[in-house]
Structures are given as structure tokens and as C-alpha cells.
Amino acid sequence: MSLEYLHRYNVVDYRTLRAVGMTHAAIASAVNCCMLKLTRGIYSIIRVCNLKKHRSAMVLINDEDWIEYFRSTTAASRSGDHRFGEHLARLGIVHYRHFRTEDAVSGVSAAILHELPLFKPELEQIIVSNPTAYSSSPEVIRRRRRFSAEDLCTVHGVRTFTSVRAGLDLIADKGPADGMAALEGGLRAQVERESGDSKIGMNDPRRMHAIGREIVDRDFVPAAMRLSRGRGRALRILTIISPLSESYAESRTSFALHQMGLHDFTQQWNVGYDGSLLARLDFLHRPTNTVLAFDGGQKYADFGGERLKHEGRQQNELMNMGFRIVHLQFRDVTNLNRFEMKVFGQAPQLLEFRGKPTLG
């Protein structure tokens, strides 16, 4: 277990709480008052509590930043932040005390450990694989399946599937679009680690893409070949993944384009104007100068009105330079029929470039 997860977030177990004088009833009443329950017998202290029956636990607080986070945010804002829910799930996995010797965290839980991009994952139970046993409890779903030692690693002291194997498994567990998003997130992180440049995607996207394809051939394809089921579909998805997707939404957009038979969009293309950078285009179809651009309230919520005004000016300049812009919202990329109608409706010039989908 890494020091970060051992000594942060005020994580305590049932025995420690009893040792400082809390009764079983007091511990139960502290949940959702000044503590959160992460998993069986494991809690996180989230605020200083003056109730007499909870006060003895306050001596266990060692992460004031965690206390301040809860003080400065609302329950509504936290519940609307997917990163918060995934972080709590990750803490629950890391501190879970009842894994069996042959267990390996897998599926969505492995993706949570590796911090891969996910969309509305199920976080209530920990998914593990075991070569000889299967069972289910409120905390764990244990699947009986065999796996290779090459597909295992350790994250925060927990035996788990690698990020590559986790992404490949999500193709079957959550569908090819979610599997691709997880694979691209893991690939991007691996390129940044191996290149030693966390900004390579911004500074040299073409080099990032080239390194990514080398890693896919070296690490991802052999892992797909070890799959007992779904090997063909996984290999086809590996032909189109890229480290240039910077978010779940961009991965879903890339997947949708390939399923529409549009295989020649370029990601992360810089456009200059008067000797300086005007815009960085997430998706550009260079033969037709067609740009895919996301609109909507999320950018306003994340960055404020000035960001939207700036992007509005950018888009005006791009149109003056001859670019054609297709305006999208996140909900468009999660519905392939809707996405197809919108893209071809706003950019019929793309129809002549349409080929076969990656997955039939």
C-alpha cells in the first residue's frame, strides 16, 4: 500500500475506533455525520464533530486538507462530481482487508485503481477474479476465471489486473465504446511515463501518436492475444485507439467516427493565425476542413462565460479561414444514431469519405 493512501484521507478501521473509546452504536451513528463508510470495517473521518459520542475519534484526524475539502464543498457538488465517487471507491479497494490470496482486482474496479476514464461506473462492489473460486457479498463480486501473470501488477499494494487488461475486459463488461475509452486513457498515461514528458500531447501530438502505436504493438496486442474470449473484437479496437484522446468524451467521439466509417479524422491539430496559435482542434477532417466542436453548459460550469466567449471568437476566425464546424454536445456522442444524423446533417461533404465501420 502506498504511503499516500496509508496516511491520507483520515482512513481508520473499526478496531482503531473502538480502541479510542467509541462504541459500536457510536460508530454507526457517526456514519454520514462525521465519517463515511468506505467498505466493511473501514471509515474516513470527514469533519470535526463536537458530539460527545463522536469526539474521541477526532484525535485520529491527520489530513486537514481532507477536512477542508468537505468544509468548502457541498453534498450536492460532491455527488455531481464523478471523480469524488471514484476516489471513494478507490480508497475502499485499497483499504479492503478481506481479499483472498489468489484474488486479483479486475473489471471496473481495476479501472478505478488505474484511474482510467469511465462513465457512470458501478461502484458499490469490488470486482475480483480468482482462478478457483467464485462468490458474492455486499462488498465483493468474485468471478472464477484464469489469467496470466503477465496481466497482473500491484497498485497501492493491491494485486490487480494491468491497465491494459482492465481496458480489454471492459470491452466485454461495459461495451466496446467504454473499453476503448479506458484503453486510450491508459495508453496516454503510458506514453507520458515512457517519454518522460507529461506535456507531450500538447507540445508534440504527432510524436505522442507514434509512440502510442509502438506501445500498442508491444504491450496491448500481446495482452489481447491472451484473451480466451473476444479476441477478434479487441484486436480490431486496438487498431484505432490513440493516446491523443484527452477525455472520455473525446474517446467516445473517436469511437463513433470509426463506427460511422470515418477513419481519417486527425486529433489535436494546431491552427495558427498571424504567427500565433489560434486554436487546438480536437477533431479535424483535413480533406474537407471539417471541425468537430463541443458546445454546452458544461464548459460554462467548468470555465465560466469568458471561456465560452473566447471559444466563440475562435470559431468565428476558423470559419473565416474556411473551416466548417459541426457543433456537438456530449449526449450526441453517446448515441450513435443521433451522432451520425448530426454529423452528416451538418457536414454532408463527409459522406463521400465514408468507409466500413471498425466493428461490424
Side-chain angles (χ1 to χ4, degrees):
M1 208 177 284
S2 72
L3 289 177
E4 177 184 8
Y5 278 82
L6 272 175
H7 300 299
R8 292 187 64 189
Y9 310 114
N10 301 322
V11 177
V12 294
D13 63 12
Y14 180 84
R15 292 175 300 175
T16 301
L17 292 169
R18 291 301 303 269
V20 297
M22 291 191 76
T23 65
H24 176 81
I27 294 171
S29 68
V31 174
N32 297 326
C33 170
C34 54
M35 294 194 303
L36 295 177
K37 184 176 181 179
L38 300 175
T39 186
R40 188 195 339 169
I42 304 294
Y43 307 87
S44 172
I45 303 172
I46 60 173
R47 72 180 184 90
V48 176
C49 187
N50 292 320
L51 289 179
K52 184 177 180 180
K53 58 184 176 181
H54 302 160
R55 200 176 298 156
S56 60
M58 300 304 105
V59 300
L60 301 173
I61 293 174
N62 58 20
D63 189 345
E64 293 290 346
D65 290 340
W66 189 232
I67 300 296
E68 177 58 29
Y69 169 74
F70 279 87
R71 185 184 297 119
S72 61
T73 58
T74 65
S77 66
R78 293 190 296 270
S79 65
D81 184 353
H82 69 90
R83 295 166 299 182
F84 173 73
E86 291 175 15
H87 178 66
L88 292 184
R90 191 175 305 113
L91 286 175
I93 296 168
V94 168
H95 288 278
Y96 186 68
R97 303 288 179 82
H98 305 284
F99 289 120
R100 299 181 186 179
T101 302
E102 293 186 302
D103 283 346
V105 175
S106 59
V108 169
S109 297
I112 291 289
L113 278 181
H114 289 286
E115 302 187 40
L116 303 180
L118 297 167
F119 182 61
K120 295 183 178 180
E122 297 174 1
L123 304 175
E124 289 75 19
Q125 293 168 293
I126 303 171
I127 309 300
V128 302
S129 293
N130 187 297
T132 60
Y134 65 92
S135 62
S136 180
S137 72
E139 295 89 21
V140 170
I141 295 175
R142 182 172 286 106
R143 300 169 174 170
R144 183 166 61 192
R145 62 194 303 196
R146 297 197 173 275
F147 44 83
S148 169
E150 294 175 276
D151 293 320
L152 296 176
C153 66
T154 301
V155 177
H156 305 310
V158 177
R159 188 172 186 250
T160 182
F161 281 10
T162 64
S163 65
V164 176
R165 179 57 188 266
L168 291 170
D169 282 352
L170 286 182
I171 295 172
D173 292 348
K174 300 284 287 181
D178 277 12
M180 177 169 164
L183 288 164
E184 290 197 326
L187 179 59
R188 183 178 181 84
Q190 189 168 345
V191 171
E192 290 175 351
R193 286 195 304 271
E194 293 195 12
S195 67
D197 183 0
S198 62
K199 297 182 178 180
I200 184 173
M202 176 64 71
N203 298 332
D204 197 346
R206 306 284 76 79
R207 178 169 171 260
M208 183 181 214
H209 184 268
I211 295 174
R213 292 313 307 173
E214 292 174 2
I215 291 173
V216 168
D217 291 340
R218 185 192 72 204
D219 297 340
F220 287 50
V221 170
M225 293 298 294
R226 290 191 291 270
L227 294 175
S228 58
R229 291 179 296 177
R231 184 184 304 161
R233 182 166 64 163
L235 288 171
R236 288 195 296 276
I237 289 175
L238 292 183
T239 65
I240 62 173
I241 67 170
S242 167
L244 294 176
S245 293
E246 297 179 343
S247 66
Y248 177 87
E250 289 187 14
S251 290
R252 285 298 298 257
T253 302
S254 181
F255 176 80
L257 287 170
H258 285 290
Q259 282 302 94
M260 288 168 57
L262 297 176
H263 304 294
D264 46 3
F265 267 81
T266 300
Q267 289 183 259
Q268 314 308 341
W269 186 265
N270 293 333
V271 177
Y273 180 75
D274 283 345
S276 61
L277 179 65
L278 170 64
R280 191 162 191 256
L281 307 179
D282 295 332
F283 291 91
L284 170 66
H285 189 255
R286 294 170 65 190
T288 61
N289 269 1
T290 302
V291 176
L292 304 188
F294 282 92
D295 302 326
Q298 188 59 48
K299 286 186 177 181
Y300 185 89
D302 290 342
F303 305 109
E306 286 304 313
R307 171 66 174 266
L308 287 184
K309 290 179 184 177
H310 174 67
E311 292 197 352
R313 290 192 293 269
Q314 280 184 336
Q315 292 188 16
N316 287 335
E317 293 290 353
L318 289 170
M319 288 188 290
N320 290 336
M321 296 169 68
F323 290 97
R324 310 177 193 187
I325 300 176
V326 177
H327 296 274
L328 298 169
Q329 295 180 333
F330 177 72
R331 63 182 179 179
D332 296 327
V333 302
T334 59
N335 184 318
L336 188 57
N337 287 335
R338 181 189 180 97
F339 183 77
E340 185 172 331
M341 290 176 62
K342 199 159 196 179
V343 170
F344 286 138
Q346 294 187 33
Q349 66 274 9
L350 294 173
L351 284 166
E352 64 178 288
F353 295 89
R354 191 175 194 180
K356 294 182 179 180
T358 299
L359 301 178

